[in-house]
Amino acid sequence: MDIELPAVRSHAESEAEDRPPSTVEYLDYRTIEENGWDLEDDDLFEKAAAADLEKSEYGVIEADRNESLLRTAEENDLKWPFQCRSGSCAMCTAVLKEGEAEMDVNLFLEDEEVEERGMRLTCTCRPRSDEVRIVCGAIRMEYVRDVAQNRG
Ligand code: FES
């Protein structure tokens, strides 16, 4: 006899389900380099919005709060880098510039990288604020590349 068990949701998931989608503004790291901008520029996203960029470089997407940022990007036909999809490498790293986004699983980044540098693994990371700004494709950053090669 089959018994159907009720779906188990965490408190955070239950709360997130009741909230409207987040607005995620993204900018690809390669575009920052190609335009001679800097990750620390205060007006980084304003410059990106004013430039005539492709959807792969910059844009704004609606993000379900229960969906990972990587999955949301894929649903929007964006090709963000990834490898393990389980929080244990650095391929999908993004840098959170504004807003809140939490990782369910992080088996790779150190606390300082998350808290001070704003690094997030997009494959396990969900938006937690109404608006989020992230720099995707951060695996192209020298620091992230070095971490990916030398750790794990
Ligand atoms: S793809 Fe490996 S941590 Fe996200």
Side-chain angles (χ1 to χ4, degrees):
M1 182 170 85
D2 289 338
I3 300 172
E4 193 165 317
L5 297 172
V8 178
R9 299 182 309 168
S10 71
H11 179 66
E13 283 174 335
S14 300
E15 271 193 356
E17 275 181 19
D18 298 335
R19 301 182 63 192
S22 292
T23 301
V24 175
E25 191 174 3
Y26 64 90
L27 173 60
D28 189 84
Y29 184 74
R30 189 202 315 244
T31 304
I32 296 176
E33 285 185 317
E34 288 175 352
N35 285 276
W37 300 335
D38 190 280
L39 186 63
E40 300 306 321
D41 288 346
D42 289 339
D43 58 349
L44 189 57
F45 282 82
E46 285 73 18
K47 286 191 288 199
D52 189 22
L53 298 174
E54 299 287 328
K55 178 183 169 184
S56 61
E57 300 174 298
Y58 165 81
V60 180
I61 51 179
E62 295 263 287
D64 186 319
R65 293 172 195 250
N66 294 303
E67 199 71 86
S68 73
L69 291 172
L70 177 62
R71 187 85 188 99
T72 296
E74 290 170 341
E75 286 169 356
N76 284 273
D77 299 321
L78 298 169
K79 296 186 181 354
W80 291 3
F82 68 88
Q83 189 172 336
C84 71
R85 301 186 81 98
S86 59
S88 56
C89 74
M91 278 301 288
C92 69
T93 301
V95 177
L96 179 68
K97 298 300 290 180
E98 286 184 40
E100 293 173 34
E102 281 176 24
M103 293 176 285
D104 298 333
V105 179
N106 169 26
L107 304 174
F108 198 87
L109 300 176
E110 295 181 352
D111 289 349
E112 183 269 342
E113 291 164 343
V114 176
E115 289 154 21
E116 307 297 325
R117 294 177 180 267
M119 291 165 64
R120 298 288 189 279
L121 302 173
T122 61
C123 69
T124 66
C125 189
R126 300 166 207 279
R128 290 287 179 247
S129 55
D130 293 345
E131 295 181 1
V132 170
R133 279 179 160 174
I134 58 165
V135 171
C136 56
I139 188 64
R140 295 186 187 94
M141 288 171 60
E142 190 177 347
Y143 177 84
V144 181
R145 267 202 324 268
D146 287 350
V147 164
Q149 284 171 0
N150 299 323
R151 190 183 298 161

